[in-house]
Amino acid sequence: MATIFSKIIAGEIPSHKIAENDEFFAFLDISPVAEGHTLVIPKKEVDYLFDLDDDLLGRMMVFTKKVASAIEKAIPCKRVGITVIGLEVPHAHIHLVPIRKESDIYFGNPKLKKSPEELAQTAEKIRAQFS
């Protein structure tokens, strides 16, 4: 059975895409902990990030680095934090969160309430910085 992330990749569920290549897909989290909170996923459906083969994981990190760089240019922050939790969806994924302080990446914080239009604007700002 396809995960929600596989359905997003297939276009069956809408998303605010940031970047995509043959192997990976990056899109905004619809319940962000900070503006610009982005998920990076492999197109290959694997439950746990550390079950990816080493070469694929390495390429995913290089792709993730490019996405993080675009986020950092588009969203005011000190850094882009990275976390792997992997409990909420059984599809390997990395969270990229623009942060000013450590507590900005705490997932127990209230989620931001962003309209689809606001998410679309944020995605466009980040995509404009992607190289």
Side-chain angles (χ1 to χ4, degrees), residues 26-115:
F27 59 101
L28 290 182
D29 191 308
I30 60 169
S31 296
V33 296
E35 182 185 4
H37 178 175
T38 299
L39 299 173
V40 178
I41 60 176
K43 289 184 174 179
K44 180 179 181 181
E45 195 171 292
V46 174
D47 180 10
Y48 183 47
L49 185 75
F50 298 122
D51 286 339
L52 294 173
D53 70 65
D54 291 350
D55 290 336
L56 184 63
L57 180 59
R59 291 190 304 275
M60 185 173 178
M61 290 307 295
V62 170
F63 181 83
T64 298
K65 181 180 176 181
K66 291 175 185 176
V67 174
S69 177
I71 293 168
E72 197 168 37
K73 291 173 188 169
I75 306 297
C77 62
K78 286 188 177 180
R79 302 239 167 141
V80 174
I82 183 171
T83 186
V84 174
I85 299 169
L87 298 175
E88 59 279 358
V89 176
H91 190 132
H93 58 286
I94 294 171
H95 293 265
L96 295 174
V97 181
I99 60 174
R100 293 187 180 117
K101 57 189 182 311
E102 287 179 16
S103 61
D104 289 344
I105 202 166
Y106 175 60
F107 282 72
N109 289 338
K111 305 299 187 261
L112 301 180
K113 304 265 191 264
K114 296 287 186 176
S115 70

